[in-house]
């Protein structure tokens, strides 16, 4: 079945204005105008973020939706894919954000709008742990795109976390995956965008 609804989930301190989100939105609008594309601004609270996403996709057709997530958004995408039974694309996904984000408890600016501040509270660690889907078999096909040069997350850990996924492992690169545009046609094929 073709994908008619595509959810994009951005990473920590990011937004729908990120380069990857804008590139994907532009590709969908230009090449697949029949596809409904949604990239919500996610709040810092993981519980609130997934509640907002669950409400936003409640009316979507499970059989023809997919999710794409980057970094922390990749972690969230795994949760959405489990809940909805839909295909997922994971871009340098956070494997254990409860561990990796613990040092970020406090106030931070955002990447796309440095004047905007977010507060990552200690209770968000437990919220992340509650959303962890490690140990569950994939609910649907997964495509994992990782950069060996990721300076924030261990690419080996990502590959081990998603053993059943189709893997694309980029030599070099970085966490932001600045070469993302080159992978969009492959993502579109994998998701069978309408």
């Amino acid at each position: 079945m073709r994908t008619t609804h595509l959810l994009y989930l951005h990473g920590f301190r990011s937004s729908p204005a990120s380069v990857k989100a804008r590139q994907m939105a532009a590709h969908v609008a230009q090449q697949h105008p029949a596809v409904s594309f949604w990239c919500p601004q996610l709040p810092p609270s993981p519980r609130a973020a997934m509640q907002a996403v669950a409400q936003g996709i409640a009316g979507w057709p499970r059989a023809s939706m997919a999710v794409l997530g980057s970094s922390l958004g990749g972690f969230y995408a795994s949760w959405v894919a489990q809940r909805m039974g839909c295909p997922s694309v994971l871009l340098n996904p956070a494997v254990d954000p409860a561990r990796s984000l613990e040092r970020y408890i406090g106030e931070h600016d955002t990447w796309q709008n440095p004047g905007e501040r977010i507060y990552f509270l200690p209770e968000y660690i437990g919220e992340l742990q509650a959303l962890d889907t490690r140990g569950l078999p994939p609910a649907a096909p997964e495509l994992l795109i990782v950069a060996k040069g990721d300076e924030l997350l261990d690419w080996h850990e990502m590959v081990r976390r998603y053993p059943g996924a189709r893997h694309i492992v980029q030599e070099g690169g970085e966490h932001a995956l600045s070469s993302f545009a080159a992978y969009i046609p492959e993502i579109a094929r994998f998701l069978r965008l309408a």
Side-chain angles (χ1 to χ4, degrees):
M1 174 154 309
R2 293 199 169 274
T3 296
T4 62
H5 292 68
L6 179 59
L7 173 66
Y8 183 102
L9 300 174
H10 64 73
F12 182 63
R13 297 171 58 195
S14 193
S15 77
S18 74
V19 172
K20 291 188 293 292
R22 286 186 290 115
Q23 288 175 336
M24 196 69 213
H27 175 83
V28 170
Q30 292 166 7
Q31 302 296 321
H32 310 279
V35 172
S36 295
F37 180 85
W38 184 42
C39 179
Q41 176 64 59
L42 301 175
S45 161
R47 180 185 301 124
M50 291 304 93
Q51 285 173 345
V53 166
Q55 288 174 342
I57 63 174
W60 283 21
R62 286 183 178 222
S64 63
M65 70 164 285
V67 60
L68 170 66
S70 175
S71 191
L72 179 58
F75 173 83
Y76 290 153
S78 292
W79 182 85
V80 171
Q82 277 292 328
R83 188 171 187 273
M84 302 302 286
C86 69
S88 57
V89 177
L90 313 154
L91 310 169
N92 283 342
V95 170
D96 187 358
R99 179 193 69 213
S100 57
L101 291 179
E102 197 166 25
R103 67 180 184 266
Y104 290 98
I105 291 172
E107 183 181 10
H108 304 278
D109 58 2
T110 61
W111 297 118
Q112 286 79 40
N113 184 2
E116 182 181 346
R117 309 295 287 170
I118 63 163
Y119 298 88
F120 191 74
L121 303 176
E123 56 263 39
Y124 296 166
I125 299 301
E127 292 180 12
L128 287 167
Q129 291 167 337
L131 296 171
D132 200 332
T133 61
R134 283 180 294 179
L136 298 175
E142 299 169 318
L143 173 61
L144 175 69
I145 300 175
V146 300
K148 286 186 175 181
D150 190 320
E151 70 281 7
L152 298 178
L153 301 171
D154 181 353
W155 72 272
H156 297 95
E157 195 173 33
M158 294 179 229
V159 168
R160 282 193 306 270
R161 163 62 180 89
Y162 297 97
R166 180 168 166 222
H167 294 174
I168 298 176
V169 180
Q170 174 191 10
E171 292 294 333
E174 75 293 317
H175 185 69
L177 206 62
S178 59
S179 60
F180 173 71
Y183 296 108
I184 290 177
E186 183 67 25
I187 291 167
R189 281 191 294 275
F190 176 77
L191 296 177
R192 302 191 69 227
L193 295 181

